[in-house]
Amino acid sequence: MAFRFNFAVDDSDDDPAPNAPPAPAPQALPGELRAPARYHTLQELMARIPRNISYATISITPTVSIPRRELYDVRMQLMDEDELNGDGSERSMMAGLGKEDIRTSLYEGGLKSWECSVDLVRHLASLDERIGPGGKKVLELGCGTSFPSLFLFQTTLSAKKGFKPPLTHFTLADYNLEVLRLITLPNIFLSWAMLNHPSSSSGPWETEGDLDVTESLIAAFLTDLSSRGIVLDFISGEWGAGMTELLKPASPYDLALGSETIYSPSTTPLFTDVLLEALRGGEGSGLVAAKQVYFGVGGSVTDFVNLARSKDPNAQIRVVREEKEAGVGRSIVKISNKLGQP
């Protein structure tokens, strides 16, 4: 089933469709295929990174700017690849380039940038303590364009220049592998290129334009991450026991992030399970940014908080930020496990 939210952050080439009446919550149909969780290395995804990336830079605060791959560039790549791929994965991604925000079991919204991801970046930027120093492990569930992780990645790069820091590990998870390779990884590469741009010889970094992804630039990117002790890995597929199993061999995450991930009552319990398991046994925290109510879809911040408390009565849960602009309010919920229970 497909539906549209009508509250994405402005994407330069989105179809400006008028607001539609709320759609019913998507439900999996009998016999629908789901995507099992799968682990992917940086090297695996880098092997298919586009050789040219068209981008625009989004200004989130006066001091935070994040370059993002343009959707028209994704559309062109998908059109070029469509005839070469027979499994339908590229064609399913085309749903996200039109009027559909979700196509249940095929595409889960990862091509768009959502309001709450911007809220989460602003919250992270406002914290007194540094969230992104070495030694931290960060997990973003439903990453898509990955604004929160990109901010932390930029902070990490800026904080570590000139010496080898302790390991910093970013795990980015999205339902669609194609989102990870078409959007998430190119955006990471763009953030790295922006901070490592040789402005003295070729002028300042342009706020929009095209980046040529040469073999030498790829090599410099991989070498730089290795020298700084930064690890990037990826997980595609649905939330649930399969994803939890992939995350279990690692130590608990210091920070787990989610934006616009609790809109559906049918998947929120699975998201909550993965989030709590990623933090279990450690002293990290989770930050979940969401609309206070998803009218016509069914999810809400109150329902999520009650669900998380029922699943882990020892967790400390509170709202740490609220946005009360015109329309539906938005919140950021913090979940911490200071008891470090097994």
Side-chain angles (χ1 to χ4, degrees):
M1 181 179 293
F3 66 95
R4 184 171 175 83
F5 283 131
N6 294 304
F7 48 68
V9 174
D10 179 40
D11 287 292
S12 60
D13 60 347
D14 277 351
D15 186 349
N19 289 338
Q27 300 293 329
L29 299 175
E32 267 189 323
L33 295 177
R34 302 293 297 179
R38 295 173 52 204
Y39 175 82
H40 309 279
T41 65
L42 174 62
Q43 288 72 19
E44 175 188 343
L45 267 62
M46 285 297 297
R48 299 184 67 188
I49 194 168
R51 295 311 181 187
N52 183 276
I53 303 173
S54 298
Y55 68 90
T57 303
I58 310 303
S59 179
I60 294 180
T61 76
T63 59
V64 177
S65 296
I66 298 177
R68 175 186 65 183
R69 189 181 187 190
E70 294 276 31
L71 285 183
Y72 74 78
D73 196 39
V74 176
R75 182 181 290 110
M76 292 294 292
Q77 182 177 348
L78 287 172
M79 291 174 65
D80 288 342
E81 293 178 350
D82 188 58
E83 293 183 0
L84 301 176
N85 192 310
D87 63 9
S89 57
E90 278 81 4
R91 285 187 290 276
S92 71
M93 288 298 95
M94 295 301 287
L97 296 170
K99 296 182 179 181
E100 299 174 39
D101 288 331
I102 302 292
R103 183 175 288 181
T104 305
S105 299
L106 290 175
Y107 165 71
E108 296 290 342
L111 295 177
K112 306 290 179 68
S113 301
W114 304 102
E115 286 177 304
C116 290
S117 67
V118 174
D119 292 342
L120 193 46
V121 172
R122 289 173 176 159
H123 177 69
L124 292 168
S126 72
L127 298 179
D128 291 332
E129 71 270 23
R130 278 192 173 274
I131 295 295
K136 298 291 186 182
K137 291 185 59 182
V138 179
L139 168 67
E140 185 172 353
L141 297 167
C143 58
T145 57
S146 61
F147 278 1
S149 291
L150 290 173
F151 166 71
L152 295 176
F153 180 64
Q154 289 184 9
T155 302
T156 302
L157 291 176
S158 299
K160 301 177 182 311
K161 213 158 182 70
F163 67 96
K164 186 173 181 178
L167 175 72
T168 298
H169 191 151
F170 292 86
T171 299
L172 298 124
D174 195 273
Y175 183 81
N176 296 104
L177 172 58
E178 297 306 306
V179 167
L180 293 173
R181 80 170 183 92
L182 293 167
I183 290 286
T184 309
L185 178 59
N187 284 355
I188 292 170
F189 195 82
L190 286 167
S191 277
W192 175 85
M194 180 179 72
L195 295 180
N196 288 273
H197 184 67
S199 57
S200 59
S201 60
S202 57
W205 173 264
E206 298 291 342
T207 58
E208 59 182 48
D210 294 277
L211 177 69
D212 288 327
V213 183
T214 63
E215 292 295 337
S216 61
L217 198 61
I218 291 174
F221 170 70
L222 296 175
T223 299
D224 191 38
L225 295 190
S226 177
S227 68
R228 296 172 186 266
I230 298 172
V231 171
L232 298 171
D233 55 18
F234 307 84
I235 296 177
S236 66
E238 62 184 346
W239 300 318
M243 185 173 291
T244 298
E245 286 300 315
L246 290 178
L247 296 173
K248 266 186 179 179
S251 57
Y253 283 85
D254 298 288
L255 185 61
L257 306 170
S259 301
E260 311 279 14
T261 49
I262 62 168
Y263 60 87
S264 171
S266 65
T267 58
T268 297
L270 300 174
F271 166 80
T272 306
D273 287 341
V274 175
L275 178 76
L276 293 174
E277 286 298 324
L279 300 172
R280 193 177 302 279
E283 296 187 355
S285 60
L287 292 171
V288 179
K291 296 287 186 297
Q292 291 175 1
V293 177
Y294 289 87
F295 292 110
V297 183
S300 73
V301 168
T302 298
D303 288 346
F304 167 67
V305 169
N306 290 337
L307 176 65
R309 284 180 173 150
S310 70
K311 288 178 175 290
D312 189 350
N314 293 316
Q316 300 180 25
I317 305 174
R318 61 191 177 96
V319 174
V320 294
R321 186 183 181 98
E322 291 186 326
E323 300 288 343
K324 296 183 178 180
E325 303 169 356
V328 179
R330 307 189 301 276
S331 300
I332 296 178
V333 178
K334 180 178 180 179
I335 302 176
S336 56
N337 179 27
K338 297 299 183 183
L339 297 180
Q341 75 229 41

